[in-house]
């Protein structure tokens, strides 16, 4: 098993064992080696601060808004993308994963590769939603 370098300023290790193919934008596992504060971000959907849908029918626009919403929750909890250890993606059509990856790259630095799950779903809470993303972060206690 190969442990990658500690993320700068954190005690989070990315785990990508030999014998498994590299994941595009995710790690096969994450190890948090010290006490920390767990931050769980509920599934975020493509609405703005007023609850208005952003990007009707546009997966990229919806995904961008969802990442903004996740980032807002993280910041309010005193966390950032460097603390994210798990992302969950729920897509109405999993063939859009390339679009989601492109938008993710606008928000999450390339060296941050949390564990991740992608699931295609028949429907989200509102019919017009194309994507929902949840997150888990660990903020080390110093």
């Amino acid at each position: 098993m190969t442990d990658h370098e500690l993320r700068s300023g954190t005690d989070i290790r990315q785990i990508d064992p030999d014998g498994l193919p590299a994941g595009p934008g995710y790690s096969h596992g994450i190890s948090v080696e010290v006490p920390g504060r767990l931050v769980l971000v509920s599934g975020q959907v493509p609405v703005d601060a007023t609850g208005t849908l952003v990007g009707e029918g546009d997966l990229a626009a919806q995904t961008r808004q969802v990442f903004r919403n996740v980032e807002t929750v993280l910041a309010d909890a005193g966390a950032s993308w460097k603390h994210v250890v798990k992302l969950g993606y729920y897509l109405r059509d999993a063939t859009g994963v390339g679009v989601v990856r492109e938008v993710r790259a606008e928000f999450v630095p390339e060296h941050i590769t949390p564990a991740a799950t992608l699931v295609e779903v028949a429907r989200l809470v509102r019919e017009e939603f194309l994507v929902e993303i949840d997150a888990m972060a660990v903020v080390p206690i110093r």
Side-chain angles (χ1 to χ4, degrees):
M1 180 182 334
T2 302
D3 275 356
H4 287 252
E5 293 295 315
L6 284 173
R7 292 188 191 166
S8 178
T10 69
D11 294 305
I12 299 168
R13 288 187 187 272
Q14 298 166 191
I15 302 169
D16 289 303
D18 293 335
L20 290 177
Y26 72 92
S27 291
H28 288 282
I30 297 290
S31 173
V32 181
E33 300 183 10
V34 298
R37 186 169 43 83
L38 184 63
V39 177
L40 300 171
V41 179
S42 293
Q44 296 298 304
V45 294
V47 295
D48 64 16
T50 68
T52 303
L53 173 68
V54 173
E56 185 170 355
D58 182 339
L59 180 59
Q62 287 195 17
T63 303
R64 200 167 283 111
Q65 182 63 45
V66 169
F67 272 104
R68 282 187 201 109
N69 294 349
V70 171
E71 193 168 69
T72 297
V73 176
L74 290 170
D76 196 64
S80 68
W81 291 111
K82 76 178 182 178
H83 300 112
V84 173
V85 297
K86 177 83 163 93
L87 287 169
Y89 301 92
Y90 308 90
L91 297 175
R92 292 282 308 278
D93 180 358
T95 63
V97 67
V99 171
V100 173
R101 285 182 184 142
E102 287 175 17
V103 173
R104 177 191 180 279
E106 297 172 20
F107 291 86
V108 184
E110 187 176 328
H111 71 282
I112 305 293
T113 56
T117 300
L118 182 138
V119 178
E120 182 175 283
V121 296
R123 187 177 191 283
L124 293 165
V125 69
R126 286 179 32 192
E127 185 67 33
E128 64 269 31
F129 292 168
L130 303 176
V131 60
E132 182 170 337
I133 299 172
D134 61 24
M136 182 183 304
V138 176
V139 180
I141 297 172
R142 300 274 177 212

